[in-house]
Amino acid sequence: SRTRMRGIKKQKWQATVIDADGFRANVGIIIANDKGELLIAKRIGKDAGQFTQGGIGRGEAPQQAMYRELHEELGLGPDDVECLGRTERWLRYRLPKRFVRRNKRPLCIGQKQIWFLLRLRSDESAIRFDAHDEPEFERWQWVGLDVPAERVIFFKRDVYRRALSELGPLIRSAAEQDG
């Protein structure tokens, strides 16, 4: 149920997996509506909009991490969405040097992500940021396919373009079937 996880703190960075090359295993989540619009959310205290994403814990499969992050960040469960696809391979991005925490071990220089494309099946009112004690986002909006890569922080733009290039045809196909 939606309230089952209320009050549970989010997993911390230490629980996530960083590979031998310094890339943190992560999932990215693109949520589309029936019109083919995409959900981007604004982090608390930040200007940029982004897709939901989060680390994959030790022993956790990418799909498990995706559903956990979906609930933690947007309050949605598996019954609220339909999975339309995922990227075939890991998509990587490097952090700018000023964002690399040199005093942390293992050293994380970027993220490698499996991206999932979901279609929202529930009403928009199911989206909520209070599923956990430490919400990450303060608002969200539906945008066109070309907008997310423009709105995200600069160092994630290329990975957004690659994920949307691979999953974009599925978004258009799903919207056409509903239209």
Side-chain angles (χ1 to χ4, degrees), residues 1-2 4-5 8-13 15-17 24-29 52-78 81 116 118 128 131-132 136-137:
S1 81
R2 285 205 175 99
R4 187 182 78 223
M5 294 182 75
I8 295 174
K9 300 249 186 243
K10 289 186 61 144
Q11 282 190 346
K12 298 297 178 198
W13 283 77
T16 60
V17 178
R24 177 178 176 242
N26 189 287
V27 291
I29 304 169
T52 299
Q53 68 176 52
I56 299 174
R58 225 171 278 296
E60 190 175 38
Q63 188 168 2
Q64 290 172 308
M66 180 269 294
Y67 282 119
R68 178 182 46 74
E69 287 293 332
L70 185 68
H71 184 269
E72 288 177 358
E73 296 187 355
L74 298 176
L76 298 174
V81 296
F116 289 87
L118 309 177
R128 42 186 266 268
H132 281 269
E136 291 189 36
F137 299 108

Side-chain angles (χ1 to χ4, degrees), residues 26-144:
N26 189 287
V27 291
I29 304 169
I30 301 170
I31 300 174
N33 65 16
D34 290 337
K35 298 176 193 169
E37 298 168 317
L38 309 179
L39 185 149
I40 60 170
K42 183 185 166 300
R43 284 194 179 279
I44 295 172
K46 306 287 184 194
D47 293 327
Q50 69 173 62
F51 293 128
T52 299
Q53 68 176 52
I56 299 174
R58 225 171 278 296
E60 190 175 38
Q63 188 168 2
Q64 290 172 308
M66 180 269 294
Y67 282 119
R68 178 182 46 74
E69 287 293 332
L70 185 68
H71 184 269
E72 288 177 358
E73 296 187 355
L74 298 176
L76 298 174
D79 293 338
D80 295 312
V81 296
E82 171 189 1
C83 187
L84 300 177
R86 60 168 268 185
T87 54
E88 190 174 317
R89 295 185 180 88
W90 294 102
L91 302 182
R92 288 175 169 75
Y93 70 83
R94 293 178 88 82
L95 293 166
K97 288 183 178 163
R98 70 178 186 256
F99 291 110
V100 174
R101 298 175 184 155
R102 301 242 174 245
N103 58 342
K104 296 273 188 180
R105 293 290 176 256
L107 181 66
C108 176
I109 63 162
Q111 298 200 31
K112 64 180 186 181
Q113 300 174 311
I114 295 292
W115 283 86
F116 289 87
L117 172 61
L118 309 177
R119 182 181 359 196
L120 183 65
R121 284 307 199 194
S122 293
D123 188 78
E124 292 177 0
S125 63
I127 299 168
R128 42 186 266 268
F129 302 131
D130 64 350
H132 281 269
D133 290 339
E134 301 173 20
E136 291 189 36
F137 299 108
E138 59 186 358
R139 68 176 186 259
W140 64 273
Q141 70 180 122
W142 295 115
V143 298

